[in-house]
Amino acid sequence: MKSKNKFYVTTPIYYPNDIPHIGHAYTTIAADVLARWNRLKEKDVFFLTGTDEHGKKIQEIAEKNKKTPKEFVDALIPKFKDAWKSLDIEYDKFIRTTDKEHERVVKELLQKVYDKGDIYLSKYEGYYCTGCEAYYTEKDLENGCCPIHKTKIEKLKEESYFFRLSKYQKPLLDFYKKNPNFISPENRKQEVINRVKEGLKDLSISRTSFDWGIPLPFDKKHFCYVWFDALFNYYSATREKGKEKFWPADVHLIGKDILWFHTVYWPAFLMSSGIELPKKVFAHGWWTFDKEKISKSRGKVINVGELTSIAGVDSARYFLFRAAPFGEDGDFSESALVDRHNNELANKLGNLISRVSTLAEKYGLEKTENKLLKKLKLKDIEKLLDNYEFDKALNEIFAFVDICNEYTQNKKPWETGSKKVLYELADSIKAITILLFSFIPSTSEKIAKQFNFEICYKNIKSPLKISKISKGEILFKKIENKEEEKINKSEKIEGIVNMAEVVEFNEWEKIDLRVAQIKKVEDIEGADKLYKLTINLGKELGERTICAGIKQHYSKEELKGKKIIVFTNLAPRKIKGIESKGMLLAAVNEGHSKVVLISPEKDMDAGARIS
Ligand code: MSP
């Protein structure tokens, strides 16, 4: 029996090759937001996450760490579970592809697809990127490298079983047509359809050159392609007793990079297995970190512990869904998170709660019709949440927080002691809190306790019961924006070479000092001590930008055309959103009141080395 009142949401199952980072956290929190929202609406929710543990990638990293693959992944699973706990993720099941039940279901379906004639033995000749766990053809490569990882790619020539993907081109196109909401967002859907229309090649689904995987039931020398194994997790999880009713999934949340696997391979595998298809695949955008691609090797990664340590769990959860539309890319920076924490959560929401609870504790409440609540666009917000437009939903909720703050300001309950005004505000806070619960659960629970209401859907509208309200703790403490701090520091140290410590000759040799000519001088918004300088470093190094804290010591006219000395290979730093690639040299007196630029004593070409 199918239940209409169920909601089944999944995250991708993550490769446990390292601890989870912001990208993994993003999908998992999104699934948690949807799960909480649907539980609130009294749906029977099943929220699945887990780990993708087989395949060459895991086998290789385990070998590097001198562990068996199983030992290696076993050690990482608690890190994933702890990370999700620390983010207040309430999943219903954590599946591992090494779970015996999952392996059993995959074998059963491999056999079924084989018996149907959709799997045949042949030879694979082509390329395989272990990083992607994906096959490539010659024309996909960039200078012989993987187009995603830019690393050398392995050429394969081996016996392999193939899945007749080509047979499913038409059924897939028909399915997309009949189910226009299957792929979201819309622009990504078109990309997939266009590519499918170009034609589909049969897919190699087994390898003999590694053994960390599920053996094919009809030929034990062959091990199952990791994506065939992995995708079936969504289905195998519902084979558990009592969970059958959840299939098909209501939505698979994934990142845009794995859309093809989920909207082409996955539905084709299901069609072949005779299993109903999921209702939707939603591909979200990618996060960059300080405008750069997230990359562990370049130190450009923010893991879950770092994410929550900046401004707390709820602020991190809130930021990720407020700062970028769910289907589009977003840029993460500590300073942007702190700004939203301070300006929206502390100043707007936190102040509203603190003011109203303090006054309600003092004066009490008196029941009245809540006219203020009519300004809450509840229907729109619900629609936005159901439509994955989280940023817009939060925007609407916060527009109502603004309205409540203005109302408080205008009605001045601290002067009038009006219990009715305070009731309207407290009752509105109830609605706000319930709507925010999916995003900031632990803060919402604290507010609900202060104002004595239960977090449930019907309470959004049902009037708040009069009870004693308590002031409570400060919900969001304001945080100093470290980026600003860094700028202040960098303004102080800009131009100073500290000679107090002994530097070995080989270290000194690493420093590249050059003559530079200042081409352009610009102000930087919000920085009263800094200039943005465009400098020319000659033929070899060309032009670049540096930021310098010399605004109080030099006018723009004095600087333009001036030759100065620049430390060129200093690690780039972001200052006020501008990448500063180098540092100019200046003499600075004790109290920093005098700053004098160092210039070549006679004219010298831009780019000349200082040695
Ligand atoms: N194991 C496969 C998924 C199999 S699902 C049947 C996999 N795992 S992964 O660990 O590499 O990536 C999981 C998810 O993290 C992907 O959805 C990917 O889009 C997401 N992200 C990785 N980096 C990301 C960002 N920088 N930003 C947002 N999400 C990103 O792929």
Side-chain angles (χ1 to χ4, degrees):
M1 260 277 279
K2 281 231 182 84
S3 143
K4 270 213 149 154
N5 210 25
K6 63 102 184 159
F7 181 75
Y8 176 23
V9 56
T10 68
T11 73
I13 46 170
Y14 306 109
Y15 292 125
N17 56 346
D18 205 341
I19 56 172
H21 63 58
I22 183 173
H24 310 121
Y26 188 42
T27 337
T28 316
I29 302 170
D32 190 58
V33 167
L34 284 175
R36 283 176 188 270
W37 170 239
N38 281 282
R39 274 187 214 119
L40 208 62
K41 291 199 300 181
E42 288 171 14
K43 289 218 176 172
D44 194 0
V45 171
F46 185 38
F47 165 12
L48 177 75
T49 189
T51 40
D52 185 356
E53 305 188 2
H54 291 129
K56 194 123 191 252
K57 186 183 181 109
I58 298 290
Q59 186 164 18
E60 278 180 3
I61 188 149
E63 266 162 28
K64 257 193 216 148
N65 283 275
K66 304 200 165 38
K67 285 189 176 166
T68 65
K70 187 68 171 55
E71 280 165 359
F72 182 80
V73 293
D74 279 351
L76 269 159
I77 303 311
K79 310 260 187 225
F80 275 81
K81 291 189 173 168
D82 288 350
W84 302 153
K85 198 162 174 210
S86 79
L87 282 168
D88 276 340
I89 306 290
E90 282 184 358
Y91 54 78
D92 296 297
K93 183 177 166 90
F94 189 104
I95 192 167
R96 302 179 54 178
T97 49
T98 49
D99 289 344
K100 286 286 154 275
E101 178 55 15
H102 169 77
E103 294 189 352
R104 194 190 63 72
V105 173
V106 172
K107 281 186 196 157
E108 172 192 307
L109 293 163
L110 279 165
Q111 188 67 51
K112 200 166 173 190
V113 174
Y114 181 69
D115 291 344
K116 190 174 173 181
D118 276 351
I119 292 177
Y120 62 92
L121 187 63
S122 183
K123 245 200 185 105
Y124 177 76
E125 202 174 339
Y127 297 87
Y128 191 81
C129 170
T130 308
C132 302
E133 294 281 19
Y135 297 95
Y136 288 106
T137 60
E138 185 96 46
K139 78 171 187 355
D140 297 326
L141 307 188
E142 286 173 11
N143 303 322
C145 293
C146 162
I148 309 286
H149 291 87
K150 319 280 178 213
T151 44
K152 266 245 135 336
I153 199 156
E154 186 186 4
K155 178 141 197 203
L156 299 179
K157 193 175 176 182
E158 62 183 41
E159 187 186 80
S160 172
Y161 281 92
F162 283 74
F163 172 73
R164 289 189 202 282
L165 187 62
S166 57
K167 176 178 152 188
Y168 289 93
Q169 183 193 22
K170 184 152 184 323
L172 282 170
L173 290 170
D174 289 346
F175 178 77
Y176 303 145
K177 206 169 192 176
K178 264 201 217 127
N179 299 276
N181 296 325
F182 176 62
I183 307 174
S184 282
E186 193 62 27
N187 56 340
R188 302 225 186 272
K189 170 173 136 185
Q190 266 324 311
E191 285 168 27
V192 173
I193 294 180
N194 295 344
R195 249 181 91 188
V196 173
K197 278 186 180 157
E198 283 169 21
L200 293 173
K201 278 214 234 131
D202 289 350
L203 178 72
S204 158
I205 56 148
S206 79
R207 300 274 300 271
T208 48
S209 52
F210 77 97
D211 60 3
W212 178 235
I214 300 179
L216 300 189
F218 40 86
D219 189 342
K220 306 247 164 10
K221 291 204 303 297
H222 284 258
F223 290 84
C224 182
Y225 174 39
V226 65
W227 273 98
F228 189 99
D229 165 0
L231 285 160
F232 271 104
N233 90 87
Y234 303 132
Y235 170 73
S236 72
T238 65
R239 289 285 293 267
E240 192 186 308
K241 206 160 177 268
K243 297 283 183 271
E244 299 94 335
K245 65 175 177 208
F246 288 107
W247 190 259
D250 290 79
V251 62
H252 294 314
L253 298 179
I254 57 160
K256 62 181 183 181
D257 55 319
I258 53 176
L259 186 63
W260 184 254
F261 299 94
H262 282 81
T263 54
V264 179
Y265 295 176
W266 179 222
F269 294 159
L270 287 170
M271 282 176 184
S272 175
S273 317
I275 299 171
E276 203 176 334
L277 268 53
K279 293 185 194 153
K280 183 188 261 324
V281 175
F282 189 104
H284 63 67
W286 267 46
W287 286 94
T288 49
F289 179 24
D290 286 337
K291 306 253 161 69
E292 282 182 50
K293 195 171 169 221
I294 290 188
S295 144
K296 198 176 168 241
S297 55
R298 279 183 289 124
K300 278 282 163 197
V301 67
I302 179 141
N303 63 39
V304 172
E306 285 160 342
L307 182 65
T308 54
S309 70
I310 299 169
V313 179
D314 280 353
S315 297
R317 290 177 61 118
Y318 170 79
F319 175 83
L320 291 175
F321 296 95
R322 182 74 194 270
F326 191 46
E328 287 167 32
D329 295 343
D331 182 53
F332 179 86
S333 75
E334 186 170 330
S335 132
L337 168 54
V338 171
D339 271 354
R340 291 212 184 249
H341 168 91
N342 286 343
N343 301 334
E344 291 161 23
L345 293 172
N347 282 354
K348 293 183 172 182
L349 181 65
N351 273 351
L352 176 69
I353 308 292
S354 145
R355 260 173 146 184
V356 175
S357 60
T358 308
L359 293 169
E361 186 183 65
K362 190 167 167 195
Y363 298 111
L365 307 174
E366 188 182 327
K367 227 173 188 172
T368 185
E369 188 199 352
N370 186 357
K371 290 206 186 97
L372 182 60
L373 194 61
K374 298 206 166 77
K375 303 207 166 123
L376 174 71
K377 295 187 180 156
L378 184 58
K379 276 217 174 85
D380 292 350
I381 294 169
E382 289 193 41
K383 227 194 228 156
L384 291 167
L385 287 173
D386 288 333
N387 221 13
Y388 309 87
E389 295 179 272
F390 304 124
D391 61 319
K392 290 200 184 124
L394 286 170
N395 216 17
E396 284 301 342
I397 301 171
F398 271 76
F400 185 61
V401 171
D402 286 344
I403 290 172
C404 292
N405 274 320
E406 277 162 32
Y407 191 70
T408 318
Q409 206 55 34
N410 294 339
K411 294 283 174 184
K412 299 192 175 26
W414 57 91
E415 280 177 11
T416 63
S418 167
K419 293 178 181 182
K420 286 189 174 169
V421 167
L422 289 171
Y423 180 82
E424 281 187 282
L425 286 164
D427 189 55
S428 302
I429 284 175
K430 167 179 61 58
I432 293 169
T433 306
I434 299 172
L435 289 171
L436 284 177
F437 171 71
S438 314
F439 296 94
I440 52 169
S442 103
T443 308
S444 301
E445 271 160 9
K446 282 185 202 155
I447 303 173
K449 218 164 160 199
Q450 266 179 276
F451 286 81
N452 282 315
F453 60 86
E454 196 197 327
I455 296 180
C456 62
Y457 184 77
K458 77 165 187 355
N459 274 352
I460 298 177
K461 281 194 189 153
S462 69
L464 179 70
K465 289 197 188 87
I466 303 278
S467 67
K468 211 173 149 20
I469 287 176
S470 53
K471 203 164 81 183
E473 57 179 297
I474 296 177
L475 297 171
F476 298 99
K477 291 201 181 83
K478 283 185 96 173
I479 301 169
E480 207 173 337
N481 197 328
K482 288 217 188 101
E483 178 87 351
E484 304 284 339
E485 231 174 71
K486 251 192 260 159
I487 292 161
N488 290 337
K489 255 193 224 152
S490 69
E491 282 171 2
K492 279 193 195 131
I493 61 166
E494 190 73 54
I496 303 172
V497 176
N498 184 356
M499 296 297 285
E501 278 176 45
V502 174
V503 172
E504 294 300 333
F505 189 73
N506 65 340
E507 284 181 272
W508 155 247
E509 268 189 324
K510 282 191 221 157
I511 297 175
D512 187 41
L513 297 175
R514 305 274 186 130
V515 174
Q517 185 164 31
I518 302 176
K519 303 295 274 182
K520 205 159 136 196
V521 188
E522 291 164 87
D523 294 324
I524 299 175
E525 213 183 285
D528 55 1
K529 295 181 186 160
L530 289 172
Y531 276 134
K532 175 182 170 191
L533 305 178
T534 307
I535 55 167
N536 175 24
L537 283 161
K539 269 200 199 115
E540 189 192 341
L541 297 179
E543 282 195 359
R544 63 170 73 172
T545 301
I546 60 169
C547 296
I550 52 172
K551 194 162 168 177
Q552 286 162 342
H553 308 281
Y554 285 88
S555 69
K556 286 184 184 163
E557 292 69 37
E558 278 176 286
L559 291 174
K560 212 151 167 231
K562 200 172 180 64
K563 296 233 170 115
I564 55 169
I565 309 299
V566 171
F567 178 1
T568 67
N569 58 338
L570 177 69
R573 282 182 302 173
K574 268 258 160 70
I575 302 179
K576 281 273 174 196
I578 298 167
E579 190 166 47
S580 181
K581 287 185 175 167
M583 179 173 83
L584 56 74
L585 300 194
V588 183
N589 75 346
E590 192 74 46
H592 289 260
S593 59
K594 211 165 164 193
V595 172
V596 177
L597 290 177
I598 312 290
S599 286
E601 190 251 338
K602 284 193 194 122
D603 189 33
M604 190 60 175
D605 294 341
R609 284 176 199 276
I610 315 299
S611 57

